[in-house]
Amino acid sequence: MQETQILSTPPPPPDKPAGAPRAAPAGALVFDACHVGVILRAVLFVEAVLAVGALFGAMAPQDWLVRISLLTGGALPATLAWLLIACSLKRLLERLHVALQYAAGVLLGALAGLYACGTLSLVGALEAPPWLASAASGALLSAALVAALVLRARGRTPAATAARLSELQSRIRPHFLFNTLNSAIALVRAEPARAEALLEDLSDLFRHALLDQGEAVTLAEEIALARRYLDIEKVRFGDRLQVQWSLDERAGSAPLPSLLLQPLVENAVKHGVEPDPEGGSIHIGTALRGSRVVVVITNSMPAAGDAQPDRAAPRGHGIALANVRDRLRLMHDVQCDFSAGPHNGGQYQVRISLPPRA
């Protein structure tokens, strides 16, 4: 039998001592303004401020609309330029002290305000360009945007950590561990090779859960982890568990939060297969459709009255689904879509749509 580390993590690499501090997790940069949702909210925020400012001095609704149009012509390019610079320099700005990060954001805002004022002056929209007021307005709006980005960055890591701990707790439930070990014990003498494979799958599953993974992994890695979990459950359920895979290799590089698919597959087993005396089926499919990667997990559901009382799973509270939805939105914002619910009568389907690249 191969020597595997059950419920343990690999030793640290030679160039990194065991007591060395771990690097901060990637993906929580303050100036990470490269997301469609961030850009959309920033533009709407600036437009809302301009709309209120245009009310001062507007004599009629038509005059108000004209003022907004003129201000937008200068402010919109300046806002997009600020976001582009912040996105391009996010790694460089992250190395600065926190106070310097705020100062850099405010300085960029002042420059953006001057750029907007200069644009309006060139087209003759301003007779006497208010350079100082434009710089101050840009700096103030930029300070508000930086504060929003800071809150967004701070909110990502705690939420991901809480979701990870919740999923880890559900994964190391005593009944799952005991059922797996009992299955391995039953196979030790009759089929030692299968018992060894079962324990290796369990070891890899727990090692993956206990390691300090980065925030993002690939869809292919999550599929591999789901396979190991289903291999373990296959030993316990035998022919009662039927699994079908429809995988598109082109979708394997799509970024996902780590430990995302396994709770969904576990839900499918717990609520779809386990309560049904005849067993059930699970279908997992991935596909690259245009500029989107689609992941679909479908499981059969026991018919009403067919579930045996001793096998009936407790009614779920949707915690795992809520965690998955929140973690996807934290990573991809408005670029992802998550839905879950009954499908085609007698089935339950979870569907995830996300961009193919980070």
Side-chain angles (χ1 to χ4, degrees), residues 216-233:
V217 297
T218 64
L219 176 58
E221 291 172 324
E222 284 293 291
I223 290 293
L225 183 64
R227 281 186 184 274
R228 289 197 176 275
Y229 172 77
L230 289 174
D231 287 343
I232 292 174
E233 295 289 38

PDB file of all heavy atoms in Angstrom, residues 216-233:
ATOM      1  N   ALA A 216      -8.626  31.674  -5.857  1.00  0.00           N
ATOM      2  CA  ALA A 216      -9.170  31.186  -7.112  1.00  0.00           C
ATOM      3  C   ALA A 216      -8.474  29.901  -7.543  1.00  0.00           C
ATOM      4  O   ALA A 216      -7.268  29.747  -7.383  1.00  0.00           O
ATOM      5  CB  ALA A 216      -9.017  32.250  -8.207  1.00  0.00           C
ATOM      6  N   VAL A 217      -9.258  28.972  -8.067  1.00  0.00           N
ATOM      7  CA  VAL A 217      -8.745  27.758  -8.688  1.00  0.00           C
ATOM      8  C   VAL A 217      -9.435  27.632 -10.035  1.00  0.00           C
ATOM      9  O   VAL A 217     -10.299  28.430 -10.390  1.00  0.00           O
ATOM     10  CB  VAL A 217      -9.017  26.518  -7.807  1.00  0.00           C
ATOM     11  CG1 VAL A 217      -8.296  26.628  -6.479  1.00  0.00           C
ATOM     12  CG2 VAL A 217     -10.512  26.341  -7.583  1.00  0.00           C
ATOM     13  N   THR A 218      -9.053  26.622 -10.790  1.00  0.00           N
ATOM     14  CA  THR A 218      -9.681  26.425 -12.089  1.00  0.00           C
ATOM     15  C   THR A 218     -10.851  25.454 -11.970  1.00  0.00           C
ATOM     16  O   THR A 218     -10.935  24.664 -11.028  1.00  0.00           O
ATOM     17  CB  THR A 218      -8.672  25.887 -13.110  1.00  0.00           C
ATOM     18  OG1 THR A 218      -8.229  24.587 -12.688  1.00  0.00           O
ATOM     19  CG2 THR A 218      -7.475  26.819 -13.231  1.00  0.00           C
ATOM     20  N   LEU A 219     -11.731  25.533 -12.947  1.00  0.00           N
ATOM     21  CA  LEU A 219     -12.869  24.620 -12.980  1.00  0.00           C
ATOM     22  C   LEU A 219     -12.391  23.173 -13.072  1.00  0.00           C
ATOM     23  O   LEU A 219     -12.992  22.273 -12.465  1.00  0.00           O
ATOM     24  CB  LEU A 219     -13.767  24.969 -14.169  1.00  0.00           C
ATOM     25  CG  LEU A 219     -14.972  24.062 -14.420  1.00  0.00           C
ATOM     26  CD1 LEU A 219     -15.885  24.012 -13.200  1.00  0.00           C
ATOM     27  CD2 LEU A 219     -15.740  24.527 -15.654  1.00  0.00           C
ATOM     28  N   ALA A 220     -11.307  22.929 -13.801  1.00  0.00           N
ATOM     29  CA  ALA A 220     -10.782  21.562 -13.919  1.00  0.00           C
ATOM     30  C   ALA A 220     -10.367  21.009 -12.558  1.00  0.00           C
ATOM     31  O   ALA A 220     -10.592  19.829 -12.262  1.00  0.00           O
ATOM     32  CB  ALA A 220      -9.597  21.545 -14.887  1.00  0.00           C
ATOM     33  N   GLU A 221      -9.775  21.840 -11.706  1.00  0.00           N
ATOM     34  CA  GLU A 221      -9.376  21.393 -10.376  1.00  0.00           C
ATOM     35  C   GLU A 221     -10.598  21.079  -9.514  1.00  0.00           C
ATOM     36  O   GLU A 221     -10.593  20.099  -8.751  1.00  0.00           O
ATOM     37  CB  GLU A 221      -8.519  22.464  -9.708  1.00  0.00           C
ATOM     38  CG  GLU A 221      -7.149  22.644 -10.346  1.00  0.00           C
ATOM     39  CD  GLU A 221      -6.397  23.825  -9.792  1.00  0.00           C
ATOM     40  OE1 GLU A 221      -7.035  24.854  -9.481  1.00  0.00           O
ATOM     41  OE2 GLU A 221      -5.164  23.732  -9.658  1.00  0.00           O
ATOM     42  N   GLU A 222     -11.632  21.900  -9.631  1.00  0.00           N
ATOM     43  CA  GLU A 222     -12.848  21.646  -8.865  1.00  0.00           C
ATOM     44  C   GLU A 222     -13.548  20.378  -9.334  1.00  0.00           C
ATOM     45  O   GLU A 222     -14.107  19.632  -8.530  1.00  0.00           O
ATOM     46  CB  GLU A 222     -13.795  22.847  -8.994  1.00  0.00           C
ATOM     47  CG  GLU A 222     -13.376  24.040  -8.161  1.00  0.00           C
ATOM     48  CD  GLU A 222     -13.485  23.767  -6.674  1.00  0.00           C
ATOM     49  OE1 GLU A 222     -14.620  23.638  -6.171  1.00  0.00           O
ATOM     50  OE2 GLU A 222     -12.436  23.658  -6.021  1.00  0.00           O
ATOM     51  N   ILE A 223     -13.502  20.111 -10.634  1.00  0.00           N
ATOM     52  CA  ILE A 223     -14.088  18.878 -11.165  1.00  0.00           C
ATOM     53  C   ILE A 223     -13.337  17.667 -10.634  1.00  0.00           C
ATOM     54  O   ILE A 223     -13.942  16.638 -10.256  1.00  0.00           O
ATOM     55  CB  ILE A 223     -14.065  18.900 -12.705  1.00  0.00           C
ATOM     56  CG1 ILE A 223     -15.068  19.932 -13.250  1.00  0.00           C
ATOM     57  CG2 ILE A 223     -14.382  17.517 -13.273  1.00  0.00           C
ATOM     58  CD1 ILE A 223     -16.514  19.583 -12.998  1.00  0.00           C
ATOM     59  N   ALA A 224     -12.003  17.759 -10.576  1.00  0.00           N
ATOM     60  CA  ALA A 224     -11.210  16.641 -10.049  1.00  0.00           C
ATOM     61  C   ALA A 224     -11.559  16.356  -8.596  1.00  0.00           C
ATOM     62  O   ALA A 224     -11.659  15.194  -8.180  1.00  0.00           O
ATOM     63  CB  ALA A 224      -9.716  16.958 -10.202  1.00  0.00           C
ATOM     64  N   LEU A 225     -11.766  17.407  -7.799  1.00  0.00           N
ATOM     65  CA  LEU A 225     -12.133  17.212  -6.402  1.00  0.00           C
ATOM     66  C   LEU A 225     -13.525  16.590  -6.283  1.00  0.00           C
ATOM     67  O   LEU A 225     -13.757  15.703  -5.449  1.00  0.00           O
ATOM     68  CB  LEU A 225     -12.091  18.556  -5.670  1.00  0.00           C
ATOM     69  CG  LEU A 225     -12.373  18.517  -4.168  1.00  0.00           C
ATOM     70  CD1 LEU A 225     -11.305  17.723  -3.446  1.00  0.00           C
ATOM     71  CD2 LEU A 225     -12.474  19.927  -3.611  1.00  0.00           C
ATOM     72  N   ALA A 226     -14.457  17.037  -7.118  1.00  0.00           N
ATOM     73  CA  ALA A 226     -15.806  16.463  -7.101  1.00  0.00           C
ATOM     74  C   ALA A 226     -15.778  14.988  -7.491  1.00  0.00           C
ATOM     75  O   ALA A 226     -16.544  14.172  -6.955  1.00  0.00           O
ATOM     76  CB  ALA A 226     -16.715  17.250  -8.041  1.00  0.00           C
ATOM     77  N   ARG A 227     -14.901  14.637  -8.416  1.00  0.00           N
ATOM     78  CA  ARG A 227     -14.773  13.220  -8.803  1.00  0.00           C
ATOM     79  C   ARG A 227     -14.349  12.372  -7.608  1.00  0.00           C
ATOM     80  O   ARG A 227     -14.876  11.270  -7.391  1.00  0.00           O
ATOM     81  CB  ARG A 227     -13.747  13.078  -9.935  1.00  0.00           C
ATOM     82  CG  ARG A 227     -14.256  13.430 -11.315  1.00  0.00           C
ATOM     83  CD  ARG A 227     -13.195  13.100 -12.340  1.00  0.00           C
ATOM     84  NE  ARG A 227     -13.566  13.482 -13.684  1.00  0.00           N
ATOM     85  CZ  ARG A 227     -14.283  12.714 -14.508  1.00  0.00           C
ATOM     86  NH1 ARG A 227     -14.687  11.516 -14.108  1.00  0.00           N
ATOM     87  NH2 ARG A 227     -14.572  13.120 -15.719  1.00  0.00           N
ATOM     88  N   ARG A 228     -13.387  12.851  -6.844  1.00  0.00           N
ATOM     89  CA  ARG A 228     -12.913  12.081  -5.703  1.00  0.00           C
ATOM     90  C   ARG A 228     -14.023  11.914  -4.671  1.00  0.00           C
ATOM     91  O   ARG A 228     -14.172  10.834  -4.080  1.00  0.00           O
ATOM     92  CB  ARG A 228     -11.697  12.773  -5.075  1.00  0.00           C
ATOM     93  CG  ARG A 228     -10.446  12.689  -5.946  1.00  0.00           C
ATOM     94  CD  ARG A 228      -9.203  12.993  -5.130  1.00  0.00           C
ATOM     95  NE  ARG A 228      -7.989  12.822  -5.940  1.00  0.00           N
ATOM     96  CZ  ARG A 228      -7.369  11.680  -6.131  1.00  0.00           C
ATOM     97  NH1 ARG A 228      -7.870  10.584  -5.582  1.00  0.00           N
ATOM     98  NH2 ARG A 228      -6.281  11.606  -6.864  1.00  0.00           N
ATOM     99  N   TYR A 229     -14.777  12.969  -4.444  1.00  0.00           N
ATOM    100  CA  TYR A 229     -15.875  12.858  -3.481  1.00  0.00           C
ATOM    101  C   TYR A 229     -16.904  11.833  -3.955  1.00  0.00           C
ATOM    102  O   TYR A 229     -17.375  11.000  -3.177  1.00  0.00           O
ATOM    103  CB  TYR A 229     -16.536  14.220  -3.291  1.00  0.00           C
ATOM    104  CG  TYR A 229     -17.788  14.138  -2.454  1.00  0.00           C
ATOM    105  CD1 TYR A 229     -17.719  14.015  -1.067  1.00  0.00           C
ATOM    106  CD2 TYR A 229     -19.046  14.148  -3.058  1.00  0.00           C
ATOM    107  CE1 TYR A 229     -18.861  13.915  -0.304  1.00  0.00           C
ATOM    108  CE2 TYR A 229     -20.195  14.045  -2.293  1.00  0.00           C
ATOM    109  CZ  TYR A 229     -20.095  13.934  -0.923  1.00  0.00           C
ATOM    110  OH  TYR A 229     -21.239  13.832  -0.168  1.00  0.00           O
ATOM    111  N   LEU A 230     -17.265  11.867  -5.237  1.00  0.00           N
ATOM    112  CA  LEU A 230     -18.254  10.932  -5.757  1.00  0.00           C
ATOM    113  C   LEU A 230     -17.711   9.505  -5.790  1.00  0.00           C
ATOM    114  O   LEU A 230     -18.486   8.546  -5.645  1.00  0.00           O
ATOM    115  CB  LEU A 230     -18.708  11.377  -7.150  1.00  0.00           C
ATOM    116  CG  LEU A 230     -19.589  12.634  -7.167  1.00  0.00           C
ATOM    117  CD1 LEU A 230     -19.859  13.091  -8.594  1.00  0.00           C
ATOM    118  CD2 LEU A 230     -20.907  12.379  -6.434  1.00  0.00           C
ATOM    119  N   ASP A 231     -16.411   9.349  -5.987  1.00  0.00           N
ATOM    120  CA  ASP A 231     -15.825   8.005  -5.928  1.00  0.00           C
ATOM    121  C   ASP A 231     -15.990   7.410  -4.527  1.00  0.00           C
ATOM    122  O   ASP A 231     -16.254   6.207  -4.378  1.00  0.00           O
ATOM    123  CB  ASP A 231     -14.341   8.064  -6.300  1.00  0.00           C
ATOM    124  CG  ASP A 231     -14.122   8.285  -7.790  1.00  0.00           C
ATOM    125  OD1 ASP A 231     -15.088   8.078  -8.554  1.00  0.00           O
ATOM    126  OD2 ASP A 231     -13.004   8.677  -8.182  1.00  0.00           O
ATOM    127  N   ILE A 232     -15.829   8.251  -3.514  1.00  0.00           N
ATOM    128  CA  ILE A 232     -16.026   7.783  -2.138  1.00  0.00           C
ATOM    129  C   ILE A 232     -17.480   7.389  -1.913  1.00  0.00           C
ATOM    130  O   ILE A 232     -17.779   6.324  -1.358  1.00  0.00           O
ATOM    131  CB  ILE A 232     -15.596   8.881  -1.139  1.00  0.00           C
ATOM    132  CG1 ILE A 232     -14.081   9.094  -1.209  1.00  0.00           C
ATOM    133  CG2 ILE A 232     -16.021   8.517   0.286  1.00  0.00           C
ATOM    134  CD1 ILE A 232     -13.592  10.244  -0.363  1.00  0.00           C
ATOM    135  N   GLU A 233     -18.402   8.240  -2.343  1.00  0.00           N
ATOM    136  CA  GLU A 233     -19.820   7.946  -2.153  1.00  0.00           C
ATOM    137  C   GLU A 233     -20.267   6.756  -2.989  1.00  0.00           C
ATOM    138  O   GLU A 233     -21.199   6.040  -2.618  1.00  0.00           O
ATOM    139  CB  GLU A 233     -20.665   9.178  -2.499  1.00  0.00           C
ATOM    140  CG  GLU A 233     -20.449  10.368  -1.586  1.00  0.00           C
ATOM    141  CD  GLU A 233     -21.029  10.159  -0.196  1.00  0.00           C
ATOM    142  OE1 GLU A 233     -20.960   9.032   0.340  1.00  0.00           O
ATOM    143  OE2 GLU A 233     -21.561  11.119   0.368  1.00  0.00           O
TER     144      GLU A 233
END
